Amino acid sequence: MTLNRFSAYIKKNLSSRRLVIVSSREPYVHKQTKSGIKVEVPAGGLTSAMDDVLKLTGGIWVAWGSGSADKETVTDDRVLVPPGDPAYTLKRVWLSSTEVNNYYHGYSNQVLWPLCHMALDRVYYRKKFWDNYIKVNRIFARSVLEEVNHDTIVWIHDYQLCLVPKFIRERKSGLTLAHFWHIPWPNWGVFRVHPQPRKIIEGLLSNDLIGFQIPFFAKNFLECIHECFGTDAEIDYKHSTVTYRGHTTTLHAFPISIDYEKFNSTAVLKKTDSAIKNIKNRYKIVGHTGIGVDRLEYTKALLKRLQAIELFFEKYERFIGRFTFIQIAVPTRTKEPYLSYKKSVEALIGKINEKFSTGYWSPIIYIDKKVEQKDLIAYYKMADVGIISSINDGMNLVAKEYVACRSDEQGVLILSELAGAAEELEGAILVNPYNIEDFAQSIQKALNMADTEKALRMEHMRRQVSENDIYKWIADILKSMTQVSKQKQKKCRYLFDHIENIQNNLAGKSLLLCLDYVGTLSPIVATPDIAYLGADVQALLLQLKKVVRLAIVSGRQIEDIKGLVGIKDIIYVGNHGAEIWDGEKIAVSQHLSADKLLLNEFQIRLQNALCGLPQILIEDKGATLSVHFRNLKIRELAAFLIVFEETAKDFKDVFRITSGKKVFEVRPKELWNKGDAINWMRKKIAPDDYIIYVGDDTTDEDAFGVIKSTGMPISIGCMPEADYYLKSQGEIKAFLELILLINTPVPLP
Ligand code: GDG
């Protein structure tokens, strides 16, 4: 997507809405120097990407004011940026040195960062870290709340601010909140080491949308929710959503990218070639070159890379004097363990240089400060090999920047398979940074690669990055944000916030109250045959049937549901609408024999294909089938979905397959659904009744649809098709009590 197309997209889709970005680090730092106040732009993937966004959209960026002259340069905590060409407002929050030490250097960088990068021996936890993390997250939330109106989209970034969404949501429940997670999310085996796994995940689940770099991290996140919350959180694997305490969060992978055109067009300028000449002269470089560009960060594994380079010179001596590796290493988080890591890197560089240097040549040039972007582009363009060795990385933008600067289609990218970028950059030589032998050999392979192969690989990668640049990334995320925001704006509201409206609406009406069974009247359980009805709920239903017309609606067979509920003289709808008991007799019973044969065939084929997955329960309900996968381990899910979809595709013309909560419902297309059953009741039994329908599943949407403007659709957890929602199944009792109260005549004094 070009910048122009992106600007047009923003104008069309976002012009009337305010965007607030929230991150720990700020995009511009004002520093006091001997020659006065200077502005610094920190090196780092997040800030450079988001600065590009706000330059186009305008809006507010809330961040920690970390610079020594930050306070002097704000008015009312705000400063317009970029300096000299203002496009948006940077609003700074102020933190004390204790807060910074504990929240930032402590909890963020010594707990969450190493944990998410699976560097478990570096995790160091103190209670004061956590206390300050909570405190600072509240400070950020408060600052954001001062900036929002009902229409604002708040876009939060990264692991330093996991609790901000929760603190904002507590005060403004209707706001659209999105979070982008820039770093990896590990699986539960790793995340369980976290001292507060539930609190961190809970904070994030207050977002409407969470973006991850690659699908693998989103899958890990779901696994952690599954293990940590059990049935308290409802996961819809098909739509990748999680409903927790009545709030639904959508998860999605959005691989971050770069401003391809900026790098590409700068790389072809004459002045970039002059810069390359200068670099070569300054360092007296002859022969091949390689480049590494990183914050001096242990997850980027500079030591592994250096070990591979050392082995490379040992094994392939002919490159001594003919290959120079340039490492740009920008100091970061200048505290322990970074100071020790820096020392180890410098010691190893010293050792390698001493071991292989000749009188006129050294194998490694080490630049330990930030270089200007135009020079960075010259280094990229000059280098025959770009090397990325991360032991874990959300994405790694350097890989994409290197590719964007190689318009000559030469240059080879050696890329750690443990960086998110490896998912996208087909054409790179992938390495396992722990396999030094293979890594060293890959450097040799890159330097000996034929020009035609280089061109093929590079062309492929360049196309990938140019078609999926930073503007597409932003547009995709904003599009998803506006989608979830539109869904929220549909009228689904928390029922107990609107009791008065409901009372007024129902006053004097005769009611048909339809209640779904599993997930609404009874909790969801591991196997369907133990879905019981609580005695308190049953007692309420017995009272209610005296004042309203009651219908229990279920996916089960009619006899089954009648037995479970155990109340006579009420209506039962079974098999998702295909069977109806009108209070006295079976009034509707649809069994289509041709379809039954096909259902049997489907069941047998699925059973055979699933022989390795005994946890799948196939429930034969006569006219329909339910395939329950609640007990499946998350790592088996992908295999199951593949088998299921493969089997289902042969039956797509005859069956309608819907996904519920860890269940697929398979039903002949001709068969009535819950909406058809409601229509029948409306016509045959209750033409004058006002219909309330309470349900929790996708199969209930058919019923919501038919009463949309004439009745009251209510969901368990917010569903866009419903008018009101209850936060969880646990609130059904209070709801039934409310209906009873509304319909109980007030005795005369
Ligand atoms: C996180 C995730 C994810 C570096 N040195 C100089 C310089 N840089 C710029 C590079 C690049 C950025 O810093 C580093 O990109 P990374 O992708 O390695 O980012 P992290 O800082 O680790 O950040 C990461 C990223 O967020 C985005 O989501 O990719 O996985 O860890 O843009 O060019 N820039 C200049 N001079 C330098 O010396 N001008």
Side-chain angles (χ1 to χ4, degrees), residues 255-414:
I256 199 167
S257 194
I258 57 160
D259 185 344
Y260 174 87
E261 233 1 270
K262 184 166 86 184
F263 282 91
N264 182 46
S265 58
T266 312
V268 296
L269 295 177
K270 280 212 175 97
K271 63 179 184 194
T272 301
D273 292 330
S274 314
I276 293 176
K277 259 194 201 148
N278 289 340
I279 295 167
K280 286 194 170 170
N281 286 339
R282 191 181 326 141
Y283 295 110
K284 303 188 178 54
I285 295 173
V286 285
H288 297 297
T289 54
I291 183 82
V293 179
D294 312 79
R295 288 185 297 107
L296 219 168
E297 162 59 62
Y298 57 84
T299 60
K300 308 287 178 186
L302 278 75
L303 287 176
K304 299 270 164 243
R305 187 181 315 172
L306 292 167
Q307 286 162 359
I309 289 170
E310 182 179 13
L311 188 61
F312 162 78
F313 281 117
E314 271 172 24
K315 283 180 75 168
Y316 309 102
E317 285 178 356
R318 67 181 182 283
F319 284 102
I320 292 179
R322 299 158 95 190
F323 173 69
T324 308
F325 184 69
I326 302 164
Q327 177 63 56
I328 299 173
V330 190
T332 186
R333 305 172 187 174
T334 42
K335 290 221 169 215
E336 284 303 340
Y338 291 91
L339 299 176
S340 304
Y341 191 73
K342 185 171 194 284
K343 272 194 195 146
S344 309
V345 166
E346 289 172 358
L348 186 53
I349 290 175
K351 182 185 148 207
I352 298 171
N353 276 348
E354 205 179 304
K355 193 161 156 190
F356 298 105
S357 285
T358 59
Y360 59 93
W361 167 89
S362 287
I364 298 172
I365 295 169
Y366 174 58
I367 301 170
D368 67 346
K369 57 180 189 309
K370 189 175 175 225
V371 302
E372 275 187 56
Q373 196 170 66
K374 62 178 177 35
D375 294 326
L376 192 64
I377 290 172
Y379 281 106
Y380 285 141
K381 189 178 177 188
M382 180 181 81
D384 301 287
V385 198
I387 304 185
I388 281 117
S389 52
S390 320
I391 47 154
N392 230 323
D393 214 336
M395 178 53 60
N396 197 295
L397 296 178
V398 171
K400 295 186 174 181
E401 291 167 4
Y402 177 69
V403 164
C405 291
R406 301 313 305 239
S407 53
D408 57 356
E409 292 182 352
Q410 294 300 297
V412 181
L413 178 66
I414 296 180

Side-chain angles (χ1 to χ4, degrees), residues 50-116:
M50 295 319 298
D51 182 50
D52 286 339
V53 178
L54 274 192
K55 278 183 201 156
L56 288 162
T57 59
I60 298 188
W61 186 326
V62 178
W64 158 40
S66 59
S68 51
D70 273 356
K71 276 206 171 139
E72 278 169 60
T73 42
V74 293
T75 313
D76 196 16
D77 297 339
R78 288 146 219 267
V79 56
L80 288 173
V81 288
D85 187 17
Y88 66 93
T89 303
L90 170 61
K91 183 184 182 198
R92 288 171 170 148
V93 298
W94 311 110
L95 304 179
S96 69
S97 58
T98 311
E99 285 160 353
V100 172
N101 279 332
N102 291 298
Y103 142 80
Y104 182 69
H105 295 297
Y107 200 79
S108 301
N109 291 344
Q110 293 188 71
V111 180
L112 282 172
W113 175 271
L115 186 71
C116 288

Side-chain angles (χ1 to χ4, degrees), residues 21-26 46-47 61-64 140 155 157 161:
I21 303 273
V22 198
S23 73
S24 182
R25 302 303 308 276
E26 53 182 346
L46 185 156
T47 41
W61 186 326
V62 178
W64 158 40
F140 271 93
W155 186 353
H157 287 268
L161 304 175

